Amino acid sequence: MKVLIKAALAAGLALSAAPSFAQDAVRIGALYPFSGGLALLGDESFRGLELAIEERNAAGGLNGRKIEMVRGDAVDPNQAVGEARRLTSVDKVSVIFGTYSSSLSLAATQVAELAGVPYFELGAISDPITERGFKNVYRTNPTARIFANRMVDAVAEAVAPALGTDAKSLKVAIIHEDSLYGQTVAGYQQARAKEVGLNLVETLPYSAKSVDLTPVILRLKSAGADVVLQTSYQNDTVLFFRQMKEQGFKPKAVMGAGGGYSLRDTMQAVGPENMEGALNVDFTQYRTNPKAAPGIEEFVKKYEAKYGTAPRSGHSLANYMGAKVLLDAMAAAKDLTAPAIREAVMAVDVTEGTTATGWGAKFNEAGQNERATPFLMQWQGGELVTVFPADAAVAEIKTGIGAE
Amino acid sequence: MTVRVSLSEAPPAGRLAALMAWLGNPRVYTSLAALSLILVIPIVVDSPFIVHVFVTICVFAGLSTAWNIVGGYAGQLSLGHMVFYGIGAYTTALLIQHFGLTPWLGMWVGAAVSVAVSVFIGYPCFRLRGPFFALATIAFLEVVRLLAIHFHGFTGGSAGLIVPLKLGWAWMIFQDKINYLYIAFGLLLATLAVSYAIRTSRLGYCLTAVREREDAASAAGISNTDVKLKAVMISAGLTSLFGSFHAMYLTFLEPETMFSLANSVSIAMFALIGGLGTVAGPLLGTVLVVPIAELARGWLGASANGLHGFVYGVVLVLITLTLPGGLAGTFGPRVTALIDRLPGRRVAPDREAPALRHIEGTPGEPVLETRDLVMKFGGLTATDHVSITLRRGEILGVIGPNGAGKTTLFNQISGFLKPTSGTVVIYDAEGRPVTPARADEYARLGVGRTFQIVQPFGKLTVIENIMIGAFMRHTSVDDARAAALRIARLVGLLHVKDVEARNLPIGDLKRLEVARTLATEPSILLLDEVMAGQNQTDTQKMVELIRTIRDTGVTVIAIEHNMQAIMSLSDRIVVIDSGKVIAQGDPREVVRNRRVIEAYLGEDFVDAQGL
Amino acid sequence: MDVLVQLILNGIMLGSMYAIISVGLTLIFGIVRVVNFAHGEFLMVGMYAVYLLSLHLGLHPYVSAVPMVLMLFAVGALVQRFIIQPLLGADEHIQIFATVGLSTALINLALLVFGADLYSVQAPGVRQPLSIGGYTVLHAQVVMLASALVLVAGLHLFMQRTPLGRAIRATAQNRNAAQLMGVRVDRIYVIAFGLGAACVGLASALISPLFPVTPTIGTYFVLTAFVVVVLGGMRSMYGAFLGAMIIGIVDSLSGYYIAPDLKEVVYFAIFILILIFKPTGLFGFGRGTE
Amino acid sequence: MLKVSNVTAGYGRTVILQDVSIEVGRGEVVTIIGANGAGKTTLLRAISGLVKPSAGRITFDGTDIAGMAPADIVGRGLIQVPEARQLFPVMSVRDNVLMGAYHPAARAGADRRFAEVLDLFPRIGERLDQLAGSLSGGEQQMVAIARGLMANPKLLMLDEPSLGLAPIIVQQMFGIVDRICEMGTTVLLVEQKAFHALKIAHRAYVIENGRIAIENTGAGLLADPHIKTAYLGI
């Protein structure tokens, strides 16, 4: 309840756009979907940013200046445009952090770019966000292409060895929900599978609102798919796992691209015994070897202290890590103008395995962090544990789906 | 805030003077002043966020106004209107991407595509009524959205299309946001002007007529499908233009937003809240709801997910329960009354009525023939081989007991029923025999009919009701009004000319039925029991009126139960019983016919009276 | 061949789920002449209630069917009495807007109370696959099909054999004459709306073990239910039942043989074609152009 | 038994009936005749509670029933057989007839009356399982009357039972009405075919343009030359 009141107050303050704020504070925008269907993970993402900023303020702020956060709530692209306009004009923020959802990010970054305000994307994965030649958009998290490549590569690098066969002998199928997320990831998966010469037997899109996935499963069964790569939200993940079992379809491996695969709710709805062995490529999750991701345990503690629950997904962690890197860059910049920030961001050089997500940070000309890679995880005994790459792993990869 | 003034009301003396006089009308200057606030407030406040809110208002008000042309004026509840918005947006964006075509041209291509699609959707769907039309439009929207996702090679699929950020007027992309507002405001003004022009034109009246009563509209020569198609084409084109503009504004398109069911419902809701079928309603609804929704999301949205949506839903239900007329419908008359008290009101002078249509032909020649008309409903034969000939200039009375098939006969000779067998022949101005296909074609050929159960357009005033008929021969509103006034005077409805038809007593409604039909200036007039419900003096007046009409060259065929009246009026009588013509000829002889008396009073009566 | 049989089997099972929902929608449309755009949200409300009963009282969802039927009957009756009844004389647009408004309010109320998370009901055993000659169905699906059959048969008997059922049919066919027979038609409308909603109550109990509940779960079903109702001819329960089976099978087959993401396109296309070319529905039980 | 005093009624602001007063005594057969649109049906609708009178009183057995719900009026035994039959077309003939005994006040003895009605209309007995909509006009009218009788009427109001029927069937229909009257049911008969209606009527009213124009005994009206004038204009 306290959180709610605080949030309401923050929103109120944001609306009244107070010039009474201390002159020396640095104002930054936080643009996420706080209401509507994306609210759950939008809010989860925001918590990572909030923790990073609190940490920074506790340590004296940005070169002695306090950081003030102004929230923007966007449910659809039109609102994202509106909120981005508000943040850049009324609230005159120095930078904007966001956004969790790719379509919101695409819309909001167009505004920020024209307004000349740096936009720090911490969670949206759509590649074009950093492929439009914008000068002021930076992203710390891995993109859909990186996700897709990691998934396809994992078939050869992790799954096939565990099965003791050659990757080329495996029949691979791609299934995905047909909104932006699924369509994008699956597109790159197809390209990558072709590139590395995997035997791709089916690519099946479906609506995330589907109430019956048996046609998909029967097609996979008919095609004799050994490995299924799924890009899905929560409902369709649950449906897929339940119906896969019911239809007696037992592939050698199933791998998700985050989304519904990363959520504890999904595992509970499906049942831990049925989710056993499901692979998942996603942002760094909490059962990761702290040696590869220093600071991860402290983050969880801080999170629990502030919000009273365990983190609901890795989104908060990714946002936390990205915010920290970029706040450091802001601190290093000679002032907070866009060119100075660009210079500072381009100078960032963080080696892999030194942040709470285990990612490094080095930005290319387009603003994309080239040292961010998702890890391969697996549901084992009701826990999502990191299994690949080896130095981040806390468990061995297992084969098969469902407990015997 | 319905504004009922028109530019063309001005006298022809001098454009400038006319414009000044028009601007001097308080309804005009208050409306313009209120509208200009949409432009003035953001310029004065000078904040890009406020500009954004007002751009959003302009876009949604424009979409809602365009929707209202179909949903309000024509009464066709489209809940898939964003399909045109999406088509406009995608066409424009794809043309930029593939051909480097400026959106200023692309938007017109988009509009053209939307208009074509609207005909494709509208033509088959207009046969559906009420909720089924709504469901069909939703289905079309969903199909288009799913196809846009599926064919991602062409549309960019769910990943969406990104509009290249080429700045400048040529590409409709600006660093300075106020430029967007200029365009949005311009589009809104244009849409309001179109909406206003339709509302006050022949098309607007025809749409209202079709919405209220399709049959009466057909009888007034209006082709229901044609006017609905016109409405949906205009609406789709305008909606599409807003889609194109909004795509340039958002610079990012995805099927979920472009073909959104939620937004389709929203624009309809704005019109409902503001007042369906009024010019100002959709704008009012949007101006009220959009800022409140923006604020509510700020205040409520952050504190609890769904609270503002819940409040929004509850408010909608409450509005339907308490203000079914919307803001404009409920408060409009009072506000306009207040505005009219402002200085400067100008009363348009009455016009000279245009000349009546001249009816050619020789008295006595056949003008309409039926040949062996048979009409079967299930097992019932309503008309059984009816062959009658109507001669120019006569008054033919049709009598017969209830349920004898008289009205069924009328329905066949006015095109409302297709005979099971047999033919109806009308002789046109050149004396050629023709058989029209639809009721509105009969009407345009000069067959005017009244309905036994009166069919007034309840929410229109008496004079507007008559104008619906007058529009068949007069395209201009002023001519139609003048012609309608002449008819109102003729039938004795002048004293109630500004009363809404639903408030008339039955006698006046019967006269209105005649007046609307007369306004179509028919050469053949079909009167179905117009004396019923009239008192003695009114009946007398009606008899005289019918004679007067006949004297202008009109041929009359009348069904009547008031025997005294019909006997004294008719030149000839046809008696129908159980679907058959049992007697015809001179009135005096017909009533002495034994079969006729039997049909009316029963066989026993005839025996008892020894007739 | 095996796949075809399995697909048809799945289609029938899916169809029986659509049938229960659509029969309710048909009752409301056929008798009260109102298209209930909030029908899916009734289902959602029911599913949350089933979840709560299971969580707090440990009730098996099938046991919850009884309170659900009663609760949704009450919900439907109240909606008819306080929202639809006052609007019966109004333009039909207004009624549609009222149910759309109700739907918006309910979805957001659920979001407010339960959040966007998904909740799933544990019902041991009912998701067990049952193998019949090499083909698979679930216990829950068999229960669903049986319930759909019992529901349609039960409603049939109720409508044919009881005075109240006769009065409901009479009111639907000739409101005026029914009044002259001493039928209180306003009360009949309340009962009919309640019955329609009660069908959804039954559906919510049966569907809960199969699908987790979220605020928008109703929207997954409601458009399909409209398709079914139109296919079945709007007024007829048997039409709705057959229509549901057809849509279930079409859904299943087109998902396999055409493309899973185009199956909605297929049945929406069927829907549009039926509306345009055969508005009385596939079986000629009713009339869509009225 | 039934007393309509100074009733004015209509739809919306459209006035159809003006200041109409009629009376029906117990055991009487009263006929109302008048041309189409004169207001006969509106009068019956007002008595049955389907139209609320804007002025005047309607009492039945001493109770004011103006403004009562139609169902309560039916419950008091005031039953209308409406114009143009108004059957339930896709219900069986049996169900149509049974609907007559729907009101709780009519449930007692319904089985006995069902037998009586079948006795009166043997044709109906042959067609119990057919859909009512598939019957001929005359048969439909019989079902409508049978349905009315099932309601155990104290006063039966028949609205144009001869409407739209072939002449031969009209004769039969009046034969049936005769029998119902002879059985002692009080009847208010609205007709256009004046002669027969007047012949069986104890008293009769002529309604013109929403007002009662003449009141007389049936025989008296039969002899009144005004009738022929009103109907045939001679």
Side-chain angles (χ1 to χ4, degrees):
Chain A
M1 198 58 212
K2 252 186 198 162
V3 182
L4 292 184
I5 292 169
K6 266 192 200 160
L9 282 176
L13 289 173
L15 275 171
S16 52
S20 60
F21 276 128
Q23 278 306 309
D24 58 347
V26 176
R27 289 154 69 79
I28 61 146
L31 183 57
Y32 293 92
F34 289 109
S35 55
L38 303 171
L40 180 67
L41 292 180
D43 185 53
E44 180 65 21
S45 302
F46 169 74
R47 288 181 176 182
L49 172 66
E50 194 175 31
L51 283 173
I53 285 176
E54 279 185 4
E55 202 177 292
R56 190 87 205 178
N57 277 337
L62 214 56
N63 300 329
R65 295 166 72 189
K66 272 246 172 307
I67 303 170
E68 302 274 2
M69 208 170 18
V70 185
R71 285 164 53 131
D73 175 16
V75 173
D76 61 36
N78 186 39
Q79 287 170 14
V81 167
E83 291 293 83
R85 295 243 153 97
R86 182 170 68 77
L87 292 172
T88 54
S89 62
V90 179
D91 298 303
K92 307 227 182 310
V93 297
S94 305
V95 297
I96 298 175
F97 288 83
T99 325
Y100 168 60
S101 151
S102 292
S103 50
L104 300 180
S105 179
L106 281 165
T109 46
Q110 301 264 69
V111 174
E113 178 71 11
L114 286 180
V117 173
Y119 198 104
F120 296 153
E121 181 55 58
L122 310 177
I125 63 168
S126 172
D127 289 74
I129 293 173
T130 45
E131 286 175 356
R132 290 168 295 174
F134 286 6
K135 292 275 160 253
N136 295 313
V137 175
Y138 313 94
R139 170 161 51 189
T140 51
N141 59 289
T143 69
R145 189 200 304 274
I146 301 173
F147 261 75
N149 291 355
R150 165 63 84 187
M151 288 172 79
V152 174
D153 294 350
V155 174
E157 293 167 14
V159 177
L163 291 168
T165 57
D166 175 32
K168 301 239 177 343
S169 71
L170 290 171
K171 288 180 181 165
V172 179
I174 295 171
I175 63 172
H176 65 93
E177 62 82 32
D178 64 0
S179 80
L180 184 142
Y181 166 53
Q183 218 174 38
T184 318
V185 173
Y188 292 123
Q189 285 174 346
Q190 274 177 293
R192 183 67 169 187
K194 219 172 159 189
E195 212 173 291
V196 302
L198 283 187
N199 178 15
L200 187 60
V201 292
E202 282 276 23
T203 303
L204 298 172
Y206 61 84
S207 160
K209 281 194 162 194
S210 205
V211 294
D212 181 29
L213 288 177
T214 51
V216 173
I217 290 159
L218 289 174
R219 266 184 70 162
L220 294 175
K221 210 172 162 182
S222 309
D226 298 311
V227 179
V228 179
L229 307 181
Q230 185 182 22
T231 311
S232 55
Y233 290 119
Q234 203 171 4
N235 254 333
D236 47 331
T237 311
V238 173
L239 200 57
F240 180 68
F241 272 86
R242 285 181 171 180
Q243 296 193 322
M244 189 164 60
K245 181 180 177 212
E246 289 151 18
Q247 297 295 332
F249 175 51
K250 275 191 164 260
K252 297 192 173 96
V254 176
M255 193 189 301
Y261 276 70
S262 297
L263 297 170
R264 184 159 291 272
D265 276 353
T266 312
M267 178 272 295
Q268 267 152 1
V270 173
E273 69 285 2
N274 299 323
M275 199 79 185
E276 186 71 19
L279 292 158
N280 179 28
V281 167
D282 200 354
F283 292 170
T284 314
Q285 302 291 323
Y286 301 100
R287 293 295 304 270
T288 297
N289 195 333
K291 278 189 211 127
I296 190 167
E297 287 166 316
E298 289 76 10
F299 172 79
V300 174
K301 280 197 200 100
K302 276 183 196 157
Y303 186 104
E304 281 171 351
K306 181 163 172 65
Y307 303 108
T309 66
R312 294 170 289 188
S313 78
H315 291 85
S316 46
L317 181 64
N319 275 257
Y320 170 78
M321 172 272 173
K324 281 186 70 160
V325 167
L326 292 165
L327 286 170
D328 285 344
M330 284 171 74
K334 62 176 188 292
D335 55 41
L336 294 178
T337 59
I341 287 179
R342 183 168 176 84
E343 198 180 315
V345 171
M346 288 302 145
V348 168
D349 187 355
V350 180
T351 47
E352 277 146 344
T354 61
T355 63
T357 53
W359 305 335
K362 176 75 194 158
F363 294 88
N364 63 14
E365 272 301 298
Q368 174 60 39
N369 177 9
E370 289 179 321
R371 291 187 189 156
T373 43
F375 292 156
L376 180 65
M377 289 154 271
Q378 191 170 39
W379 282 102
Q380 292 185 2
E383 293 289 343
L384 190 59
V385 295
T386 303
V387 293
F388 187 85
D391 49 353
V394 291
E396 279 285 303
I397 188 167
K398 303 201 313 181
T399 59
I401 283 292
E404 291 310 314
Chain B
M1 251 212 336
T2 19
V3 189
R4 286 215 184 108
V5 279
S6 96
L7 259 175
S8 51
E9 264 178 27
R15 282 259 172 90
L16 189 67
L19 184 67
M20 290 317 289
W22 181 67
L23 286 174
N25 186 315
R27 292 190 190 182
V28 175
Y29 68 68
T30 45
S31 308
L32 289 179
L35 267 178
S36 64
L37 284 181
I38 295 180
L39 201 55
V40 171
I41 293 176
I43 292 175
V44 171
V45 175
D46 189 28
S47 131
F49 175 64
I50 296 296
V51 170
H52 168 75
V53 171
F54 277 79
V55 168
T56 305
I57 288 176
C58 285
V59 169
F60 278 93
L63 289 170
S64 186
T65 303
W67 178 88
N68 190 44
I69 294 171
V70 169
Y73 297 169
Q76 298 290 320
L77 184 60
S78 161
L79 290 182
H81 230 60
M82 291 304 266
V83 83
F84 306 124
Y85 166 94
I87 289 172
Y90 269 99
T91 309
T92 312
L94 287 170
L95 285 172
I96 296 174
Q97 199 178 52
H98 295 304
F99 302 102
L101 186 69
T102 160
W104 292 103
L105 294 175
M107 65 198 293
W108 296 103
V109 180
V113 176
S114 290
V115 168
V117 171
S118 75
V119 173
F120 175 76
I121 296 177
Y123 193 76
C125 288
F126 280 142
R127 299 197 316 180
L128 307 170
R129 302 265 164 92
F132 302 103
F133 181 81
L135 289 174
T137 55
I138 292 177
F140 270 108
L141 179 72
E142 288 291 301
V143 166
V144 172
R145 185 177 64 81
L146 291 167
L147 291 177
I149 292 173
H150 186 77
F151 294 104
H152 50 86
F154 179 58
T155 61
S158 296
L161 271 185
I162 295 162
V163 177
L165 290 187
K166 293 189 256 183
L167 288 172
W169 276 92
W171 300 103
M172 225 193 268
I173 296 198
F174 309 98
Q175 196 124 28
D176 188 1
K177 304 304 169 216
I178 200 82
N179 292 324
Y180 286 115
L181 185 68
Y182 296 147
I183 301 174
F185 185 71
L187 273 175
L188 173 63
L189 270 190
T191 307
L192 282 170
V194 170
S195 168
Y196 174 74
I198 292 175
R199 184 78 182 79
T200 50
S201 73
R202 177 183 177 186
L203 178 59
Y205 284 94
C206 292
L207 285 172
T208 312
V210 167
R211 180 187 69 205
E212 296 250 318
R213 288 182 189 272
E214 298 207 342
D215 277 355
S218 295
I222 300 169
S223 161
N224 287 314
T225 321
D226 284 2
V227 295
K228 283 189 209 165
L229 270 184
K230 273 185 202 156
V232 79
M233 284 161 72
I234 295 170
S235 174
L238 290 169
T239 307
S240 178
L241 292 180
F242 278 100
S244 302
F245 164 76
H246 212 208
M248 293 304 109
Y249 181 72
L250 297 175
T251 64
F252 172 64
L253 296 77
E254 53 158 1
E256 213 63 50
T257 328
M258 291 295 132
F259 301 107
S260 149
L261 177 57
N263 283 345
S264 298
V265 172
S266 288
I267 58 174
M269 290 287 185
F270 295 153
L272 173 83
I273 292 169
L276 279 182
T278 60
V279 176
L283 176 62
L284 282 181
T286 314
V287 167
L288 182 77
V289 177
V290 167
I292 289 181
E294 291 280 328
L295 289 178
R297 200 180 37 256
W299 287 102
L300 304 173
S303 60
N305 285 340
L307 184 54
H308 66 274
F310 175 66
V311 172
Y312 182 51
V314 169
V315 166
L316 286 175
V317 174
L318 290 179
I319 283 186
T320 59
L321 288 173
T322 53
L323 296 180
L327 295 173
T330 313
F331 305 111
R334 263 177 272 171
V335 175
T336 12
L338 278 180
I339 291 174
D340 284 346
R341 281 203 224 149
L342 294 172
R345 182 160 166 71
R346 188 182 59 85
V347 180
D350 272 355
R351 268 209 178 195
E352 189 100 353
L356 276 178
R357 201 167 69 98
H358 186 67
I359 298 168
E360 314 258 340
T362 331
E365 67 184 359
V367 289
L368 182 152
E369 279 175 15
T370 73
R371 294 172 191 159
D372 285 327
L373 285 187
V374 176
M375 188 69 226
K376 289 191 174 165
F377 300 111
L380 179 80
T381 308
T383 56
D384 194 355
H385 295 91
V386 173
S387 301
I388 55 171
T389 304
L390 187 62
R391 301 186 178 283
R392 188 175 303 283
E394 72 173 340
I395 298 177
L396 176 67
V398 179
I399 63 170
N402 242 355
K406 304 180 298 286
T407 298
T408 308
L409 173 66
F410 261 36
N411 283 340
Q412 290 173 88
I413 60 181
S414 55
F416 281 86
L417 280 178
K418 239 183 190 50
T420 313
S421 68
T423 48
V424 177
V425 174
I426 314 277
Y427 292 91
D428 69 4
E430 279 80 47
R432 284 174 309 216
V434 281
T435 304
R438 292 195 318 264
D440 54 293
E441 291 173 16
Y442 274 88
R444 285 197 294 271
L445 254 179
V447 180
R449 71 162 296 178
T450 67
F451 290 90
Q452 180 190 1
I453 296 159
V454 289
Q455 304 244 4
F457 304 111
K459 288 181 193 160
L460 297 184
T461 63
V462 165
I463 197 73
E464 287 169 333
N465 265 274
I466 306 175
M467 282 167 74
I468 300 284
F471 275 121
M472 202 169 88
R473 306 283 175 205
H474 308 285
T475 29
S476 114
V477 175
D478 295 328
D479 284 349
R481 184 180 298 275
L485 277 171
R486 177 174 55 203
I487 304 278
R489 198 169 295 127
L490 185 69
V491 300
L493 286 172
L494 204 56
H495 63 293
V496 287
K497 74 178 168 62
D498 294 321
V499 176
E500 283 189 9
R502 56 183 165 168
N503 295 331
L504 291 182
I506 182 73
D508 283 347
L509 284 175
K510 285 282 184 186
R511 276 193 289 277
L512 180 58
E513 193 71 25
V514 177
R516 189 190 62 226
T517 311
L518 276 182
T520 66
E521 295 173 27
S523 48
I524 303 170
L525 180 59
L526 278 59
L527 299 173
D528 197 347
E529 293 199 32
V530 291
M531 317 265 188
Q534 305 269 38
N535 61 32
Q536 209 71 40
T537 38
D538 286 345
T539 306
Q540 208 46 52
K541 278 189 203 155
M542 188 66 88
V543 167
E544 278 158 29
L545 175 65
I546 295 171
R547 288 209 176 100
T548 316
I549 294 165
R550 190 262 300 271
D551 293 343
T552 63
V554 177
T555 312
V556 178
I557 172 166
I559 296 178
E560 203 47 72
H561 274 277
N562 187 325
M563 284 299 170
Q564 263 169 319
I566 196 74
M567 287 298 161
S568 65
L569 186 63
S570 304
D571 301 318
R572 208 153 58 88
I573 295 274
V574 169
V575 190
I576 297 182
D577 188 28
S578 302
K580 288 195 180 69
V581 176
I582 57 169
Q584 54 179 316
D586 180 77
R588 300 284 129 190
E589 283 162 27
V590 163
V591 289
R592 289 193 176 80
N593 184 316
R594 186 190 155 94
R595 283 184 68 191
V596 176
I597 299 172
E598 271 176 22
Y600 264 85
L601 298 174
E603 217 166 289
D604 306 2
F605 186 90
V606 181
D607 295 338
Q609 304 269 314
L611 283 167
Chain C
M1 198 58 210
D2 277 1
V3 177
L4 182 65
V5 175
Q6 181 68 53
L7 282 169
I8 291 175
L9 210 55
N10 290 345
I12 290 172
M13 296 307 166
L14 195 59
S16 56
M17 183 166 70
Y18 292 146
I20 299 177
I21 301 171
S22 308
V23 163
L25 200 57
T26 301
L27 274 177
I28 295 174
F29 179 76
I31 296 155
V32 195
R33 301 285 156 83
V34 168
V35 174
N36 179 22
F37 278 86
H39 207 64
E41 280 57 60
F42 287 0
L43 178 74
M44 178 266 293
V45 168
M47 287 175 75
Y48 274 112
V50 171
Y51 169 75
L52 288 180
L53 286 180
S54 148
L55 186 71
H56 295 297
L57 304 178
L59 278 193
H60 190 282
Y62 291 170
V63 178
S64 309
V66 177
M68 280 311 104
V69 165
L70 296 176
M71 181 183 96
L72 276 148
F73 181 89
V75 169
L78 290 173
V79 166
Q80 165 65 23
R81 175 65 192 81
F82 293 105
I83 296 179
I84 306 298
Q85 196 116 294
L87 296 177
L88 276 183
D91 197 77
E92 61 191 352
H93 286 183
I94 303 287
Q95 296 168 18
I96 292 175
F97 280 120
T99 58
V100 169
L102 181 66
S103 146
T104 311
L106 287 175
I107 290 178
N108 285 286
L109 182 66
L111 191 63
L112 190 61
V113 176
F114 296 97
D117 307 8
L118 90 190
Y119 296 99
S120 95
V121 176
Q122 298 307 321
V126 303
R127 299 192 56 87
Q128 283 307 312
L130 201 67
S131 194
I132 308 167
Y135 303 110
T136 313
V137 290
L138 302 190
H139 281 103
Q141 289 178 320
V142 176
V143 171
M144 187 89 72
L145 178 62
S147 307
L149 289 168
V150 168
L151 177 70
V152 171
L155 279 172
H156 175 81
L157 283 180
F158 169 73
M159 288 292 185
Q160 295 295 327
R161 299 291 165 82
T162 65
L164 181 59
R166 269 200 296 273
I168 291 176
R169 281 191 297 145
T171 306
Q173 291 175 28
N174 190 333
R175 178 191 155 104
N176 190 46
Q179 280 186 304
L180 288 175
M181 300 302 113
V183 176
R184 294 172 206 275
V185 295
D186 285 353
R187 211 174 282 178
I188 294 290
Y189 286 162
V190 168
I191 292 170
F193 211 110
L195 278 179
C199 292
V200 173
L202 176 65
S204 68
L206 298 175
I207 289 175
S208 283
L210 294 172
F211 299 102
V213 55
T214 62
T216 51
I217 187 80
T219 60
Y220 290 32
F221 293 93
V222 75
L223 283 181
T224 316
F226 281 135
V227 174
V228 167
V229 171
V230 168
L231 204 62
M234 264 64 82
R235 310 273 170 76
S236 154
M237 288 185 306
Y238 326 114
F241 184 83
L242 288 175
M245 290 300 157
I246 289 174
I247 287 299
I249 292 169
V250 164
D251 189 308
S252 188
L253 292 183
S254 59
Y256 185 86
Y257 290 108
I258 299 174
D261 63 332
L262 287 183
K263 59 186 188 183
E264 284 94 347
V265 173
V266 174
Y267 60 69
F268 277 128
I270 294 176
F271 172 75
I272 291 167
L273 293 175
I274 293 283
L275 267 182
I276 291 168
F277 294 107
K278 200 152 185 335
T280 51
L282 268 190
F283 319 102
F285 290 126
R287 293 179 58 191
T289 44
E290 263 184 29
Chain D
M1 187 177 197
L2 175 72
K3 197 167 172 195
V4 176
S5 338
N6 311 100
V7 161
T8 299
Y11 304 96
R13 301 203 195 161
T14 308
V15 172
I16 309 261
L17 286 182
Q18 275 185 18
D19 201 24
V20 168
S21 302
I22 64 162
E23 230 176 289
V24 182
R26 197 173 304 278
E28 257 192 330
V29 176
V30 174
T31 293
I32 299 174
I33 59 174
N36 218 12
K40 303 175 304 246
T41 297
T42 307
L43 175 59
L44 291 199
R45 287 177 64 84
I47 295 172
S48 283
L50 296 175
V51 179
K52 253 197 185 101
S54 52
R57 275 163 57 86
I58 303 174
T59 57
F60 183 65
D61 277 343
T63 327
D64 190 352
I65 58 166
M68 246 188 207
D72 295 325
I73 295 173
V74 169
R76 286 166 192 275
L78 183 51
I79 309 299
Q80 182 186 155
V81 177
E83 186 185 12
R85 278 88 68 173
Q86 302 213 17
L87 298 184
F88 308 114
V90 285
M91 275 165 77
S92 68
V93 169
R94 183 196 311 274
D95 284 351
N96 264 278
V97 175
L98 287 177
M99 266 312 289
Y102 173 74
H103 197 281
R107 302 246 169 110
D111 294 344
R112 179 179 48 78
R113 282 199 307 283
F114 190 64
E116 284 173 10
V117 163
L118 291 190
D119 213 35
L120 189 64
F121 301 103
R123 286 283 285 282
I124 294 181
E126 296 161 17
R127 291 165 192 268
L128 280 176
D129 295 317
Q130 235 171 292
L131 287 187
S134 68
L135 298 182
S136 74
E139 288 165 339
Q140 289 197 8
Q141 187 63 56
M142 289 179 201
V143 174
I145 294 175
R147 188 177 65 176
L149 290 173
M150 284 298 288
N152 198 16
K154 288 185 195 156
L155 169 58
L156 189 66
M157 303 189 284
L158 297 168
D159 194 352
E160 294 211 33
S162 71
L163 179 70
L165 301 184
I168 178 85
I169 311 288
V170 171
Q171 294 298 323
Q172 284 179 14
M173 195 53 59
F174 279 120
I176 291 161
V177 175
D178 278 346
R179 278 189 61 191
I180 293 170
C181 299
E182 280 161 18
M183 279 157 36
T185 313
T186 311
V187 171
L188 177 60
L189 176 63
V190 164
E191 252 308 332
Q192 225 193 2
K193 306 228 166 183
F195 179 76
H196 202 107
L198 289 177
K199 216 170 70 172
I200 58 173
H202 299 119
R203 286 185 309 106
Y205 298 86
V206 176
I207 190 164
E208 276 176 11
N209 290 328
R211 295 166 195 274
I212 297 295
I214 309 173
E215 180 190 347
N216 204 332
T217 59
L221 266 186
L222 264 181
D224 191 331
H226 189 86
I227 295 297
K228 237 171 116 182
T229 318
Y231 275 89
L232 295 176
I234 41 179

